Amino acid sequence: MSASHVIDVRNLRTHFHTEKGRVTAVDDVSFHVDRNEILGVVGESGCGKSVTSEAIMQLLNPDITDFEGEIVFGGENLLTLGEDRLSRIRGKDISMIFQDTTSSLNPLYTVGDQIIEALQAHGRVSRKAAAEAALKVVSATGIPSPEKRLKEYPHELSGGMRQRIMIAMALVCEPRLLIADEPTTALDVTTQAQILDLITQMKRDFDMGVIFITHDMGVVAEICDRVAVMYLGQVIEDSTVESLFEAPLHPYTKGLMQAMPTIESDPQADLYTIKGKVPSLSDVPKGCRFAARCPFSTEKCVAQPPTLDVATKGHKVRCWHWQAIADGSACKVNAGAEVG
Amino acid sequence: MSRAATGHDISQSAAQPLLRATDIRQHFPVRRGLFKPNAYVKAVNGVSFDLMEGETFGLVGESGCGKSTLGRTLLRLIEPTDGACYYRDQNIFETTQAEFGKFRRELQMVFQDPYSSLNPKMRVGSILEEVMSIHGIGNRRERTDRVIELLETVGLSSEHYFRFPHEFSGGQRQRINLARALSLTPKVVVCDETVSALDVSIQAQVLNLMKRIREAFDLSYLFISHDLGVVKYISDRIGVMYLGNLVEVATAEELFAAPKHPYTEALISALPKTNPKVEKQRIKLSGEVPSPLDPPSGCCFHTRCPHATDICRKVVPASRTISGTHKVACHLYEGSE
């Protein structure tokens, strides 16, 4: 299985040149996705989850961006490919869907035309054959009366409907990898449930790998097979979804899970909070990046950056004290450190 | 403390509500053409509920259900089409704008977008003082003292007094918005998706703060959100809206333990699971929310309801009390006590 990773990201670093100097938005990130697998990438704003996906798609402005590392896809390193080759991969072998469907669809063309365009851009297909393929893929997304919908413009469709069209458009060329960047964040829960079902079903039907970017742990529990939790440009925990929800090891992951009110939270108790806020990327801490907010931080954490270690099989964590925290022998130095 | 008091209020249904909304309607005209009559978007279509003193009333529903419009209508940010809203025994919809000023002092609002709700050209101190000077509270020095006190109440400090909004993060801006609402010592604060734009860890901080403020200032919240987890956590009672109608009202506990309305059931079953190992049964809703321009006859939910019968297509269900604190507008519960 390991030989057949759909995508293998190795030690990816992404640097931006800004007015304030060089900023490293993604720092030494490695992960892989297999066929018929959904990898969840979780984190809060600014953790580098979207930049990672844009690096894979090579959507970042090359004038202000530097990369290090490798992104191996189909035996090729995407970081060294020319624009010609990339544009043949983008939208065909790797597709992407976004949060904001309104700005991702062209308001001046019918959705049918836009799906046909995607097909024709990537191969010599007659318009008739392309139209048939479009109808087939749109029907597969479960849209009622697909023939009629294909003739409509984006503004005539609801948000959930537009996201289905986006998915149809992404899948019409039968990609091997789908990158979904918060595709359900703007949707209502009932629509979200439908779209999550659809993505899971499509993953199986097309036997493709999916990178699912989200900030919502509930969505992760719902559809992901494996999870990478990111914080300030680094993967701090990487695990199967079962293992992560059974025993999260990194204090940040634990905090993220407890901070989110669910219908099971006790309304009488205060919500768990992670004190402070994410440091700026232009001022990254020297040691562990989470040390200043961590209830278990020690001098070692402040001085030395921890490495991503294998804790148990299939579960990696970037923390000096995960073992002590797991067996309860670590002491909280900043206990009750919630900010008001 | 207010929580216990609320429980008491509910058990004695004779207790006077702080704010009573009755049959509120908000219809927006849509021009169809020169000689055609206007059509109306029925954004809020006859909603009634009570807000008790010290209570948090959560309002949930999906986008377009009219929950935000209802919040704005109650504070007369949009003039209502019909209905009445009683605050301190007076129908605030019938007061003149000038008279309403003194009510607005006690009825405040915090919005969703932390970026557009603060004037980018004003310093935080001025933003907060402006509200008080408009309402003629205190002299300049007293206002400044009060602002510094408020900044500390919401977890900021006096050094933030001279800063501009752009210097703050989203979470801090929501704290400023809360401070602004508090500066008039209101009784009721309408929170329209106040924490929805924030990251999870920041959202938790602001929610804890809002709970603390509620106790300290003895406030009542009308808490509008699409996030069921957040609403369940902060609310004493919850109202579920669908297509401009309030379909179910119950205590937070009851609503999630035993939802009655088929829409509420579907909404709760659609929540993502909290444990990947648990298998979850979903109630799948067919179709989409109908247009509020032309809402269905009878029960507004009948086009998507798995239990719909003939009566649902013809007769609008009235809101029935099925137990002390649980109300539902559904024909399925006809005759049940």
Side-chain angles (χ1 to χ4, degrees):
Chain A
M1 189 130 151
S2 61
S4 67
H5 295 324
V6 174
I7 191 160
D8 195 356
V9 177
R10 294 179 197 151
N11 309 98
L12 176 70
R13 282 196 170 83
T14 310
H15 313 282
F16 292 119
H17 299 283
T18 68
E19 284 167 12
K20 290 179 186 163
R22 200 164 97 141
V23 161
T24 306
V26 174
D27 198 355
D28 197 16
V29 163
S30 303
F31 59 80
H32 60 83
V33 184
D34 291 322
R35 279 189 170 272
N36 193 17
E37 179 182 64
I38 301 183
L39 172 76
V41 179
V42 194
E44 299 183 282
S45 349
C47 72
K49 55 194 196 300
S50 290
V51 175
T52 307
S53 64
E54 282 158 10
I56 294 172
M57 287 293 264
Q58 288 287 297
L59 293 174
L60 298 161
N61 181 351
D63 297 341
I64 56 156
T65 325
D66 281 340
F67 296 102
E68 285 173 57
E70 280 178 287
I71 301 177
V72 182
F73 179 81
E76 293 171 295
N77 181 0
L78 295 180
L79 295 178
T80 57
L81 293 181
E83 189 55 35
D84 278 4
R85 181 82 191 102
L86 278 172
S87 59
R88 234 166 288 155
I89 293 175
R90 253 188 235 131
K92 181 163 193 315
D93 296 320
I94 308 178
S95 285
M96 191 157 177
I97 53 176
F98 300 89
Q99 174 178 346
D100 184 0
T101 52
T102 326
S103 61
S104 314
L105 290 165
N106 189 330
L108 299 178
Y109 292 90
T110 64
V111 293
D113 280 344
Q114 295 183 55
I115 299 176
I116 290 167
E117 184 193 8
L119 261 175
Q120 289 189 317
H122 288 290
R124 286 174 158 272
V125 197
S126 72
R127 194 168 159 93
K128 193 159 166 260
E132 276 165 21
L135 182 63
K136 204 174 135 207
V137 71
V138 170
S139 316
T141 62
I143 290 185
S145 50
E147 295 93 343
K148 181 170 154 263
R149 292 298 180 196
L150 283 174
K151 295 196 190 87
E152 291 186 333
Y153 291 88
H155 75 266
E156 297 176 87
L157 305 173
S158 67
M161 209 71 105
R162 279 200 294 264
Q163 196 56 274
R164 284 174 197 266
I165 293 288
M166 291 294 297
I167 292 172
M169 195 180 299
L171 298 185
V172 70
C173 292
E174 301 187 10
R176 280 177 285 160
L177 178 69
L178 175 71
I179 301 175
D181 191 350
E182 305 250 10
T184 59
T185 307
L187 303 176
D188 288 317
V189 270
T190 51
T191 320
Q192 166 171 289
Q194 293 167 357
I195 296 290
L196 293 181
D197 280 353
L198 176 64
I199 292 176
T200 317
Q201 180 209 331
M202 290 296 182
K203 165 203 83 165
R204 226 177 289 128
D205 293 354
F206 288 87
D207 193 29
M208 63 181 179
V210 179
I211 298 176
F212 197 102
I213 297 169
T214 181
H215 67 278
D216 187 334
M217 279 291 182
V219 172
V220 170
E222 192 72 42
I223 70 163
C224 296
D225 299 302
R226 285 190 303 116
V227 195
V229 184
M230 287 186 73
Y231 182 77
L232 207 62
Q234 292 184 323
V235 173
I236 52 121
E237 189 157 2
D238 180 337
S239 156
T240 62
V241 71
E242 288 84 8
S243 173
L244 190 81
F245 277 81
E246 199 166 282
L249 296 177
H250 199 285
Y252 177 67
T253 316
K254 284 185 184 172
L256 213 52
M257 285 177 164
Q258 288 167 26
M260 192 147 157
T262 67
I263 58 169
E264 285 150 30
S265 311
D266 174 10
Q268 308 298 334
D270 263 1
L271 282 173
Y272 181 87
T273 57
I274 304 169
K275 64 164 183 160
K277 55 177 185 177
V278 185
S280 157
L281 276 174
S282 51
D283 185 22
V284 171
K286 186 159 70 84
C288 172
R289 297 182 173 198
F290 189 59
R293 306 178 73 192
C294 181
F296 300 102
S297 72
T298 60
E299 277 171 25
K300 187 181 183 187
C301 303
V302 179
Q304 288 175 51
T307 48
L308 193 62
D309 291 333
V310 177
T312 56
K313 193 173 177 294
H315 198 146
K316 287 185 250 180
V317 59
R318 193 188 291 273
C319 175
W320 288 123
H321 304 300
W322 68 266
Q323 208 142 23
I325 295 169
D327 62 31
S329 62
C331 54
K332 285 198 181 190
V333 280
N334 295 328
E338 184 211 338
V339 287
Chain B
M1 194 189 81
S2 78
R3 224 155 242 280
T6 310
H8 184 69
D9 280 352
I10 288 168
S11 61
Q12 289 187 337
S13 54
Q16 275 292 311
L18 186 61
L19 191 87
R20 161 164 279 176
T22 51
D23 202 28
I24 293 192
R25 283 168 208 272
Q26 185 61 265
H27 296 179
F28 298 111
V30 181
R31 268 166 201 261
R32 290 191 300 181
L34 197 53
F35 300 108
K36 286 182 186 162
N38 282 347
Y40 288 91
V41 172
K42 300 181 177 78
V44 178
N45 209 359
V47 169
S48 308
F49 70 95
D50 292 342
L51 181 68
M52 299 296 178
E53 184 140 19
E55 178 189 48
T56 299
F57 188 86
L59 211 49
V60 288
E62 301 186 287
S63 37
C65 72
K67 55 191 190 300
S68 290
T69 308
L70 177 61
R72 283 159 191 253
T73 306
L74 287 175
L75 300 196
R76 284 181 69 182
L77 297 178
I78 329 168
E79 286 300 323
T81 311
D82 197 10
C85 178
Y86 294 95
Y87 178 72
R88 295 191 186 286
D89 294 328
Q90 186 156 2
N91 183 356
I92 57 172
F93 287 175
E94 279 172 357
T95 56
T96 62
Q97 278 293 349
E99 284 174 322
F100 186 62
K102 70 172 193 276
F103 290 109
R104 182 159 283 152
R105 208 175 133 170
E106 299 184 5
L107 308 170
Q108 283 292 305
M109 187 152 186
V110 181
F111 297 93
Q112 169 173 13
D113 187 356
Y115 295 87
S116 61
S117 49
L118 295 171
N119 186 338
K121 292 185 178 172
M122 284 169 78
R123 294 178 196 275
V124 167
S126 321
I127 290 175
L128 296 174
E129 277 171 30
E130 186 189 32
V131 198
M132 286 189 267
S133 68
I134 287 172
H135 286 272
I137 298 172
N139 58 32
R140 186 170 281 180
R141 166 159 308 162
E142 284 164 2
R143 288 199 286 266
T144 308
D145 289 348
R146 175 100 176 106
V147 164
I148 289 170
E149 193 190 309
L150 281 169
L151 283 173
E152 278 159 10
T153 310
V154 297
L156 299 168
S157 67
S158 53
E159 66 184 80
H160 295 115
Y161 185 89
F162 289 111
R163 302 246 185 110
F164 285 100
H166 75 260
E167 297 175 73
F168 294 90
S169 65
Q172 287 175 315
R173 286 178 209 220
Q174 280 313 45
R175 289 170 192 266
I176 297 168
N177 274 319
L178 277 169
R180 178 168 61 186
L182 292 177
S183 64
L184 297 172
T185 53
K187 296 295 289 173
V188 178
V189 179
V190 175
C191 309
D192 188 359
E193 302 272 13
T194 299
V195 297
S196 307
L198 306 176
D199 268 325
V200 180
S201 66
I202 309 299
Q203 173 179 291
Q205 293 172 2
V206 175
L207 280 174
N208 285 345
L209 171 70
M210 289 178 69
K211 276 178 71 180
R212 259 204 307 282
I213 291 175
R214 179 179 64 194
E215 317 290 300
F217 287 73
D218 203 14
L219 294 176
S220 304
Y221 286 138
L222 178 64
F223 194 93
I224 301 169
S225 177
H226 69 283
D227 188 327
L228 291 164
V230 171
V231 168
K232 161 93 192 311
Y233 174 72
I234 199 149
S235 306
D236 300 301
R237 287 192 304 138
I238 298 174
V240 182
M241 280 189 79
Y242 182 79
L243 209 64
N245 291 274
L246 200 56
V247 295
E248 186 164 0
V249 179
T251 64
E253 202 93 326
E254 282 170 343
L255 191 79
F256 285 88
K260 297 290 183 209
H261 198 281
Y263 176 65
T264 316
E265 285 179 342
L267 202 61
I268 292 173
S269 83
L271 282 175
K273 50 192 175 188
T274 44
N275 185 338
K277 283 184 181 164
V278 180
E279 279 298 318
K280 206 173 160 172
Q281 280 299 318
R282 282 257 154 72
I283 302 166
K284 282 194 182 138
L285 288 182
S286 55
E288 302 227 333
V289 184
S291 162
L293 256 174
D294 184 22
S297 61
C299 172
C300 60
F301 188 58
H302 86 250
T303 53
R304 304 175 75 194
C305 182
H307 311 291
T309 56
D310 267 346
I311 185 167
C312 304
R313 290 179 200 103
K314 288 174 193 145
V315 184
V316 180
S319 184
R320 285 180 190 79
T321 304
I322 50 169
S323 71
T325 50
H326 205 144
K327 283 185 183 173
V328 61
C330 177
H331 290 300
L332 285 179
Y333 300 94
E334 198 119 342
S336 64
E337 197 41 44

